Amino acid sequence: RSRSDVLEILLQLYQQQKDYKKMLSTIDRIEQIEGNSEQITLSKMQVYQLQGDKESAFNSLKKLADDHPNDINYKVMMGNWLQQNGRLEEAKDIFIKAQQDEPNNEYIAASLYDFYRLQNEDSMANIYRDKILLNKYTATTTKLTMLQNLVQDNEKAGGDSTKVLQLMDKVLQAD
């Protein structure tokens, strides 16, 4: 009863059987042993999603964000969830407030970039794309991934490669 490793195996078995009620019960038992953690909360959220219980999934994520008020990433995670579940205005509000708190956070900028791309607001998406690419604090891997996506999107659209090259020059100069 007190071995979380055994409970993890039990959780996997219940997952294979798609017995969500027993999965939640097992996660609760793990939580009693180990205490609350991000992984446990996200596991609960995933099970609620599998059940189709979006309200409980969101409430789990909101509790995680509320329990860690100084960690902006949980708020952004909550915004991403809202966006994926069609609650766009709420997501946008969270992203904008988070950006005011941490203007150089690449995770927030990436979420806003995705938000505006999904809304087909290309000019706003480009502002956040450039913000990510030209920010000296953005991780190199993030910049490379964004540039690769930009090149692929440009090729699909049959666009002008000189614009991409100009942006790459700006990125190199900024870095």
Short mmCIF file of all heavy atoms in Angstrom, two decimals, residues 35-75:
data_model
loop_
_atom_site.label_atom_id
_atom_site.label_comp_id
_atom_site.label_asym_id
_atom_site.label_seq_id
_atom_site.Cartn_x
_atom_site.Cartn_y
_atom_site.Cartn_z
N GLY A 35 2.83 13.01 -1.68
CA GLY A 35 2.46 14.41 -1.58
C GLY A 35 2.12 14.95 -2.96
O GLY A 35 2.36 14.28 -3.98
N ASN A 36 1.58 16.13 -3.00
CA ASN A 36 1.17 16.73 -4.27
C ASN A 36 2.40 17.15 -5.07
O ASN A 36 3.38 17.62 -4.51
CB ASN A 36 0.26 17.94 -4.01
CG ASN A 36 -0.42 18.40 -5.28
OD1 ASN A 36 -0.38 17.73 -6.30
ND2 ASN A 36 -1.07 19.55 -5.19
N SER A 37 2.34 16.96 -6.38
CA SER A 37 3.42 17.38 -7.26
C SER A 37 2.83 17.72 -8.62
O SER A 37 1.68 17.41 -8.92
CB SER A 37 4.46 16.26 -7.41
OG SER A 37 3.91 15.19 -8.17
N GLU A 38 3.65 18.36 -9.42
CA GLU A 38 3.23 18.71 -10.78
C GLU A 38 2.86 17.46 -11.56
O GLU A 38 1.83 17.42 -12.23
CB GLU A 38 4.36 19.46 -11.49
CG GLU A 38 4.05 19.76 -12.94
CD GLU A 38 5.21 20.42 -13.67
OE1 GLU A 38 6.21 20.80 -13.02
OE2 GLU A 38 5.12 20.55 -14.89
N GLN A 39 3.69 16.44 -11.49
CA GLN A 39 3.45 15.21 -12.24
C GLN A 39 2.12 14.57 -11.85
O GLN A 39 1.36 14.13 -12.71
CB GLN A 39 4.59 14.22 -12.02
CG GLN A 39 4.42 12.92 -12.80
CD GLN A 39 5.52 11.92 -12.49
OE1 GLN A 39 6.45 12.20 -11.75
NE2 GLN A 39 5.40 10.74 -13.06
N ILE A 40 1.83 14.54 -10.57
CA ILE A 40 0.57 13.93 -10.11
C ILE A 40 -0.62 14.74 -10.60
O ILE A 40 -1.60 14.19 -11.10
CB ILE A 40 0.57 13.79 -8.57
CG1 ILE A 40 1.56 12.68 -8.16
CG2 ILE A 40 -0.82 13.49 -8.04
CD1 ILE A 40 1.80 12.56 -6.67
N THR A 41 -0.53 16.06 -10.49
CA THR A 41 -1.63 16.91 -10.94
C THR A 41 -1.85 16.76 -12.44
O THR A 41 -2.99 16.65 -12.91
CB THR A 41 -1.35 18.39 -10.59
OG1 THR A 41 -1.19 18.49 -9.17
CG2 THR A 41 -2.47 19.28 -11.04
N LEU A 42 -0.76 16.72 -13.21
CA LEU A 42 -0.90 16.57 -14.66
C LEU A 42 -1.43 15.19 -15.03
O LEU A 42 -2.17 15.05 -16.01
CB LEU A 42 0.44 16.86 -15.35
CG LEU A 42 0.92 18.31 -15.24
CD1 LEU A 42 2.29 18.46 -15.90
CD2 LEU A 42 -0.08 19.28 -15.83
N SER A 43 -1.09 14.18 -14.23
CA SER A 43 -1.64 12.85 -14.47
C SER A 43 -3.15 12.84 -14.25
O SER A 43 -3.91 12.28 -15.04
CB SER A 43 -1.00 11.82 -13.54
OG SER A 43 0.36 11.66 -13.84
N LYS A 44 -3.58 13.48 -13.16
CA LYS A 44 -5.02 13.59 -12.91
C LYS A 44 -5.71 14.32 -14.05
O LYS A 44 -6.77 13.91 -14.52
CB LYS A 44 -5.29 14.36 -11.60
CG LYS A 44 -5.13 13.58 -10.35
CD LYS A 44 -5.52 14.47 -9.17
CE LYS A 44 -5.25 13.80 -7.87
NZ LYS A 44 -5.60 14.67 -6.72
N MET A 45 -5.09 15.41 -14.46
CA MET A 45 -5.67 16.22 -15.54
C MET A 45 -5.83 15.38 -16.81
O MET A 45 -6.86 15.44 -17.49
CB MET A 45 -4.77 17.42 -15.82
CG MET A 45 -5.38 18.44 -16.74
SD MET A 45 -4.22 19.77 -17.03
CE MET A 45 -3.79 19.40 -18.70
N GLN A 46 -4.84 14.56 -17.12
CA GLN A 46 -4.89 13.71 -18.30
C GLN A 46 -6.03 12.70 -18.21
O GLN A 46 -6.75 12.47 -19.18
CB GLN A 46 -3.56 12.98 -18.48
CG GLN A 46 -3.51 12.10 -19.70
CD GLN A 46 -2.21 11.32 -19.80
OE1 GLN A 46 -1.46 11.19 -18.84
NE2 GLN A 46 -1.95 10.79 -20.97
N VAL A 47 -6.22 12.13 -17.04
CA VAL A 47 -7.31 11.16 -16.85
C VAL A 47 -8.66 11.86 -17.02
O VAL A 47 -9.56 11.34 -17.67
CB VAL A 47 -7.21 10.45 -15.49
CG1 VAL A 47 -8.41 9.54 -15.26
CG2 VAL A 47 -5.92 9.64 -15.40
N TYR A 48 -8.79 13.05 -16.43
CA TYR A 48 -10.03 13.80 -16.60
C TYR A 48 -10.29 14.09 -18.09
O TYR A 48 -11.42 14.00 -18.56
CB TYR A 48 -10.01 15.10 -15.81
CG TYR A 48 -10.10 14.93 -14.32
CD1 TYR A 48 -9.22 15.60 -13.47
CD2 TYR A 48 -11.07 14.13 -13.74
CE1 TYR A 48 -9.31 15.46 -12.09
CE2 TYR A 48 -11.16 13.98 -12.36
CZ TYR A 48 -10.27 14.66 -11.55
OH TYR A 48 -10.36 14.51 -10.19
N GLN A 49 -9.23 14.41 -18.81
CA GLN A 49 -9.37 14.67 -20.25
C GLN A 49 -9.85 13.40 -20.96
O GLN A 49 -10.72 13.47 -21.83
CB GLN A 49 -8.03 15.11 -20.85
CG GLN A 49 -7.58 16.49 -20.47
CD GLN A 49 -8.26 17.55 -21.31
OE1 GLN A 49 -9.23 18.15 -20.88
NE2 GLN A 49 -7.75 17.79 -22.48
N LEU A 50 -9.26 12.27 -20.61
CA LEU A 50 -9.66 11.00 -21.23
C LEU A 50 -11.13 10.68 -20.93
O LEU A 50 -11.82 10.10 -21.76
CB LEU A 50 -8.77 9.86 -20.73
CG LEU A 50 -7.32 9.89 -21.20
CD1 LEU A 50 -6.48 8.84 -20.45
CD2 LEU A 50 -7.22 9.67 -22.70
N GLN A 51 -11.60 11.08 -19.76
CA GLN A 51 -12.99 10.87 -19.39
C GLN A 51 -13.92 11.86 -20.08
O GLN A 51 -15.13 11.67 -20.08
CB GLN A 51 -13.18 11.05 -17.87
CG GLN A 51 -12.71 9.93 -17.03
CD GLN A 51 -12.97 10.21 -15.54
OE1 GLN A 51 -12.73 11.31 -15.06
NE2 GLN A 51 -13.45 9.21 -14.84
N GLY A 52 -13.35 12.91 -20.61
CA GLY A 52 -14.18 13.96 -21.20
C GLY A 52 -14.66 14.97 -20.18
O GLY A 52 -15.53 15.78 -20.46
N ASP A 53 -14.08 14.95 -19.00
CA ASP A 53 -14.45 15.87 -17.93
C ASP A 53 -13.53 17.09 -17.98
O ASP A 53 -12.57 17.20 -17.21
CB ASP A 53 -14.36 15.15 -16.59
CG ASP A 53 -14.87 15.98 -15.42
OD1 ASP A 53 -15.22 17.16 -15.63
OD2 ASP A 53 -14.92 15.43 -14.31
N LYS A 54 -13.85 18.01 -18.89
CA LYS A 54 -12.98 19.18 -19.09
C LYS A 54 -12.95 20.09 -17.88
O LYS A 54 -11.92 20.69 -17.57
CB LYS A 54 -13.44 19.96 -20.33
CG LYS A 54 -13.17 19.23 -21.62
CD LYS A 54 -13.56 20.07 -22.80
CE LYS A 54 -13.26 19.32 -24.09
NZ LYS A 54 -13.51 20.13 -25.26
N GLU A 55 -14.08 20.20 -17.18
CA GLU A 55 -14.13 21.09 -16.02
C GLU A 55 -13.16 20.63 -14.93
O GLU A 55 -12.40 21.43 -14.38
CB GLU A 55 -15.55 21.17 -15.47
CG GLU A 55 -15.70 22.17 -14.34
CD GLU A 55 -17.13 22.29 -13.86
OE1 GLU A 55 -18.07 22.00 -14.62
OE2 GLU A 55 -17.29 22.69 -12.70
N SER A 56 -13.15 19.33 -14.64
CA SER A 56 -12.23 18.81 -13.62
C SER A 56 -10.78 18.92 -14.09
O SER A 56 -9.89 19.20 -13.28
CB SER A 56 -12.57 17.36 -13.28
OG SER A 56 -13.83 17.28 -12.67
N ALA A 57 -10.55 18.71 -15.38
CA ALA A 57 -9.20 18.84 -15.92
C ALA A 57 -8.70 20.27 -15.73
O ALA A 57 -7.59 20.50 -15.25
CB ALA A 57 -9.18 18.46 -17.40
N PHE A 58 -9.54 21.22 -16.08
CA PHE A 58 -9.16 22.63 -15.92
C PHE A 58 -8.96 22.98 -14.45
O PHE A 58 -7.99 23.66 -14.10
CB PHE A 58 -10.20 23.57 -16.54
CG PHE A 58 -9.88 25.01 -16.33
CD1 PHE A 58 -8.86 25.62 -17.03
CD2 PHE A 58 -10.58 25.76 -15.40
CE1 PHE A 58 -8.54 26.95 -16.81
CE2 PHE A 58 -10.28 27.09 -15.17
CZ PHE A 58 -9.25 27.69 -15.89
N ASN A 59 -9.85 22.52 -13.59
CA ASN A 59 -9.73 22.82 -12.16
C ASN A 59 -8.43 22.27 -11.57
O ASN A 59 -7.83 22.90 -10.70
CB ASN A 59 -10.95 22.31 -11.39
CG ASN A 59 -12.18 23.14 -11.68
OD1 ASN A 59 -12.10 24.29 -12.09
ND2 ASN A 59 -13.35 22.54 -11.48
N SER A 60 -7.99 21.10 -12.05
CA SER A 60 -6.72 20.54 -11.59
C SER A 60 -5.56 21.46 -11.99
O SER A 60 -4.68 21.74 -11.18
CB SER A 60 -6.48 19.16 -12.20
OG SER A 60 -7.42 18.24 -11.75
N LEU A 61 -5.60 21.90 -13.22
CA LEU A 61 -4.55 22.78 -13.71
C LEU A 61 -4.59 24.14 -13.01
O LEU A 61 -3.55 24.70 -12.64
CB LEU A 61 -4.69 22.96 -15.23
CG LEU A 61 -3.56 23.65 -15.96
CD1 LEU A 61 -2.23 22.99 -15.66
CD2 LEU A 61 -3.84 23.63 -17.45
N LYS A 62 -5.78 24.64 -12.77
CA LYS A 62 -5.93 25.93 -12.08
C LYS A 62 -5.41 25.82 -10.66
O LYS A 62 -4.73 26.73 -10.15
CB LYS A 62 -7.39 26.37 -12.07
CG LYS A 62 -7.60 27.75 -11.46
CD LYS A 62 -9.02 28.21 -11.64
CE LYS A 62 -9.28 29.59 -11.09
NZ LYS A 62 -8.37 30.17 -10.16
N LYS A 63 -5.68 24.70 -9.99
CA LYS A 63 -5.18 24.50 -8.63
C LYS A 63 -3.65 24.49 -8.62
O LYS A 63 -3.02 25.07 -7.75
CB LYS A 63 -5.73 23.21 -8.04
CG LYS A 63 -5.32 23.00 -6.58
CD LYS A 63 -5.89 21.73 -6.01
CE LYS A 63 -5.52 21.45 -4.59
NZ LYS A 63 -4.30 21.94 -4.06
N LEU A 64 -3.06 23.86 -9.63
CA LEU A 64 -1.60 23.84 -9.74
C LEU A 64 -1.06 25.26 -9.89
O LEU A 64 -0.09 25.64 -9.23
CB LEU A 64 -1.17 22.96 -10.93
CG LEU A 64 0.31 22.74 -11.14
CD1 LEU A 64 0.91 21.98 -9.96
CD2 LEU A 64 0.55 21.98 -12.43
N ALA A 65 -1.69 26.05 -10.75
CA ALA A 65 -1.27 27.44 -10.94
C ALA A 65 -1.47 28.26 -9.66
O ALA A 65 -0.62 29.07 -9.30
CB ALA A 65 -2.03 28.07 -12.10
N ASP A 66 -2.59 28.02 -8.98
CA ASP A 66 -2.87 28.75 -7.73
C ASP A 66 -1.90 28.37 -6.62
O ASP A 66 -1.52 29.20 -5.80
CB ASP A 66 -4.31 28.50 -7.27
CG ASP A 66 -5.35 29.15 -8.19
OD1 ASP A 66 -4.97 30.03 -9.00
OD2 ASP A 66 -6.52 28.76 -8.10
N ASP A 67 -1.50 27.09 -6.59
CA ASP A 67 -0.56 26.62 -5.57
C ASP A 67 0.85 27.15 -5.79
O ASP A 67 1.68 27.13 -4.88
CB ASP A 67 -0.52 25.08 -5.53
CG ASP A 67 -1.78 24.47 -4.95
OD1 ASP A 67 -2.59 25.22 -4.35
OD2 ASP A 67 -1.96 23.24 -5.10
N HIS A 68 1.14 27.57 -7.02
CA HIS A 68 2.47 28.10 -7.37
C HIS A 68 2.31 29.48 -8.02
O HIS A 68 2.59 29.65 -9.22
CB HIS A 68 3.19 27.14 -8.32
CG HIS A 68 3.40 25.79 -7.76
ND1 HIS A 68 2.49 24.76 -7.88
CD2 HIS A 68 4.42 25.27 -7.03
CE1 HIS A 68 2.94 23.68 -7.28
NE2 HIS A 68 4.11 23.97 -6.75
N PRO A 69 1.87 30.47 -7.24
CA PRO A 69 1.57 31.77 -7.83
C PRO A 69 2.78 32.50 -8.43
O PRO A 69 2.62 33.37 -9.29
CB PRO A 69 0.98 32.56 -6.66
CG PRO A 69 1.49 31.89 -5.44
CD PRO A 69 1.66 30.45 -5.80
N ASN A 70 3.97 32.14 -8.00
CA ASN A 70 5.16 32.81 -8.52
C ASN A 70 5.75 32.14 -9.76
O ASN A 70 6.73 32.63 -10.31
CB ASN A 70 6.23 32.90 -7.42
CG ASN A 70 5.77 33.76 -6.27
OD1 ASN A 70 5.04 34.74 -6.46
ND2 ASN A 70 6.16 33.39 -5.06
N ASP A 71 5.17 31.01 -10.16
CA ASP A 71 5.66 30.30 -11.35
C ASP A 71 4.73 30.61 -12.52
O ASP A 71 3.65 30.05 -12.64
CB ASP A 71 5.74 28.80 -11.09
CG ASP A 71 6.50 28.07 -12.18
OD1 ASP A 71 6.59 28.59 -13.31
OD2 ASP A 71 7.00 26.97 -11.91
N ILE A 72 5.16 31.50 -13.37
CA ILE A 72 4.35 31.98 -14.50
C ILE A 72 4.06 30.86 -15.50
O ILE A 72 3.06 30.90 -16.22
CB ILE A 72 5.03 33.19 -15.16
CG1 ILE A 72 4.03 34.03 -15.95
CG2 ILE A 72 6.15 32.78 -16.07
CD1 ILE A 72 3.46 35.13 -15.17
N ASN A 73 4.92 29.85 -15.54
CA ASN A 73 4.75 28.78 -16.52
C ASN A 73 3.46 28.01 -16.32
O ASN A 73 2.85 27.54 -17.28
CB ASN A 73 5.96 27.83 -16.50
CG ASN A 73 7.20 28.52 -17.02
OD1 ASN A 73 7.14 29.36 -17.91
ND2 ASN A 73 8.34 28.18 -16.45
N TYR A 74 3.01 27.87 -15.07
CA TYR A 74 1.75 27.18 -14.82
C TYR A 74 0.57 27.99 -15.34
O TYR A 74 -0.40 27.44 -15.85
CB TYR A 74 1.58 26.88 -13.32
CG TYR A 74 2.57 25.87 -12.80
CD1 TYR A 74 3.39 26.17 -11.73
CD2 TYR A 74 2.69 24.61 -13.39
CE1 TYR A 74 4.30 25.25 -11.25
CE2 TYR A 74 3.59 23.69 -12.92
CZ TYR A 74 4.41 24.01 -11.84
OH TYR A 74 5.31 23.08 -11.38
N LYS A 75 0.67 29.30 -15.21
CA LYS A 75 -0.39 30.16 -15.74
C LYS A 75 -0.44 30.05 -17.27
O LYS A 75 -1.52 29.98 -17.86
CB LYS A 75 -0.18 31.61 -15.30
CG LYS A 75 -0.41 31.80 -13.82
CD LYS A 75 -0.13 33.21 -13.39
CE LYS A 75 -0.27 33.29 -11.87
NZ LYS A 75 0.32 34.49 -11.32
#
